[in-house]
Amino acid sequence: MTNESLWKESFGNIAEDLVTLEINTILKPNMTARKMPTARHAIIDIAQSYADHISVYDESFLSRDWECHSSTFHVIRQQAKTLSEDLVQERQSVGITDEQEQELMLLIRIMRNSDQMIGLLDGIDKRMSSKSEQGPFDCSSDSEHKYFTRSTINAEHPPRLNLTPDERVLLRKIWEVGTETVAMQSTVQIDGDVIGRLRPGLPEDSYLRLQSLHQESIKISITMWQTMIQTVFEFIKAIGSAIVGGTRS
C-alpha cells in the first residue's frame, strides 16, 4: 500500500469515526497530569499498566522489561484470556461478586485492546520494514531484530515512529483509558441517538459530582464535534469544487 493510499484510508477511518461521539468519565487515582509521551514510550506505558494489573495474579509480570513489539501484547493477551476464562467458569459454577464482574470486564478490555495494539504494531512493523526504515525494532547488521525497551529507547534515542492519524488516535485512546475505572460513558450518534452507561455502586454524593462533570464534558465534546464535522464537510466540499473546476478547464 502506497503512502497516499495509506493516508487516504486513515483519514477515511477518522471520518467514519466522526459519526459517533464517545464521552468517558474515568476514576483515576494518583494522577500525574502528564501528556501522552512519544509513541514508543506510550506503547510501553500501555503494556506496563496491563502488566501491573496482571501482576496481582502473576508476580513475574512485574520484573519484565517490556519490548515495543506485538509479541509483548501477545503475552499480555494470553494471560488476560486465561484469567477471564477462570472468572467465567467461576461465575457459571458458583457465581461471582460485583467486584469480580468488574474485574472480568477489565480483563476483557485488556484482551481487546491488546488485539488492537498487536494489529497496530504489526502494521507499523510491516510498513517500516518495506521502507527499510527504523520501526518498533532496529535491524542490526546481521539482520537480527533488536526490539526497543524503555531503557534502550532512552539510551539510543531512535527516530520517532511515523504513525498515521487513525493509529495515533487509537494509541491515545488506549493510553488515556489504561486500566482505570470508567464511571460514566455516553455515546452520541450523528442521527441523534444517545446511549448512556453508568457504573453501578457509586455513592450518591460521588454520583452527583461525577454527573455534573460528565454533563459538562458532553457539552464541550458536542461543540468540538460539530466544529470537526463542519471542518470535514468544508474540506470535502473544497476538494469537490477543485475537481469540478479542473474538469471544466
Side-chain angles (χ1 to χ4, degrees):
M1 184 178 291
T2 64
N3 279 339
E4 182 179 357
S5 59
L6 182 67
W7 279 74
K8 283 181 179 178
E9 180 182 347
S10 178
F11 279 113
N13 291 338
I14 292 176
E16 289 178 5
D17 290 340
L18 283 176
V19 302
T20 303
L21 178 65
E22 182 181 295
I23 304 98
N24 295 302
T25 297
I26 297 170
L27 301 179
K28 182 177 178 63
N30 305 318
M31 286 188 293
T32 59
R34 70 186 181 112
K35 67 178 183 179
M36 190 179 83
T38 57
R40 287 188 181 86
H41 279 295
I43 291 165
I44 294 176
D45 279 350
I46 294 167
Q48 190 64 62
S49 69
Y50 291 169
D52 287 347
H53 188 82
I54 290 174
S55 68
V56 174
Y57 306 92
D58 185 346
E59 292 185 356
S60 69
F61 274 67
L62 280 176
S63 58
R64 302 195 185 192
D65 194 9
W66 297 103
E67 298 173 336
C68 183
H69 188 254
S70 61
S71 59
T72 287
F73 290 94
H74 278 291
V75 173
I76 290 171
R77 186 196 186 284
Q78 182 56 48
Q79 186 66 3
K81 180 176 183 289
T82 299
L83 294 170
S84 65
E85 288 174 345
D86 290 343
L87 277 175
V88 169
Q89 184 175 3
E90 184 177 349
R91 181 173 62 182
Q92 293 172 343
S93 58
V94 297
I96 58 177
T97 65
D98 290 343
E99 288 77 12
Q100 287 176 306
E101 191 70 40
Q102 292 168 15
E103 174 67 9
L104 175 59
M105 293 302 103
L106 178 52
L107 290 169
I108 291 173
R109 184 203 304 173
I110 290 174
M111 286 173 54
R112 291 174 177 172
N113 286 353
S114 292
D115 283 335
Q116 291 185 302
M117 292 302 300
I118 290 167
L120 183 147
L121 285 163
D122 282 347
I124 296 172
D125 223 4
K126 182 178 179 180
R127 192 165 70 242
M128 295 298 102
S129 296
S130 65
K131 295 179 180 179
S132 299
E133 295 180 6
Q134 203 171 36
F137 58 83
D138 172 31
C139 293
S140 57
S141 58
D142 58 1
S143 298
E144 292 182 356
H145 287 174
K146 170 188 170 186
Y147 299 109
F148 285 110
T149 62
R150 180 92 69 192
S151 56
T152 55
I153 291 171
N154 292 332
E156 301 179 22
H157 304 290
R160 296 171 66 93
L161 286 180
N162 292 318
L163 302 181
T164 62
D166 60 325
E167 288 172 342
R168 191 168 297 279
V169 168
L170 174 63
L171 180 61
R172 174 172 291 280
K173 180 176 181 180
I174 294 176
W175 183 85
E176 291 281 3
V177 176
T179 58
E180 311 306 336
T181 300
V182 179
M184 296 181 178
Q185 182 185 82
S186 294
T187 304
V188 183
Q189 304 287 342
I190 200 168
D191 61 3
D193 287 345
V194 180
I195 299 173
R197 297 179 177 89
L198 171 67
R199 178 180 178 268
L202 291 172
E204 184 176 356
D205 57 340
S206 297
Y207 169 76
L208 293 174
R209 290 197 300 270
L210 287 170
Q211 184 186 44
S212 176
L213 175 63
H214 191 70
Q215 291 296 331
E216 189 62 29
S217 298
I218 291 174
K219 292 177 184 177
I220 295 172
S221 298
I222 288 177
T223 300
M224 294 295 295
W225 188 37
Q226 291 170 336
T227 301
M228 290 179 64
I229 290 175
Q230 183 63 32
T231 300
V232 170
F233 174 77
E234 293 296 337
F235 179 69
I236 294 174
K237 183 179 177 181
I239 292 176
S241 298
I243 293 173
V244 171
T247 302
R248 289 176 178 174
S249 61

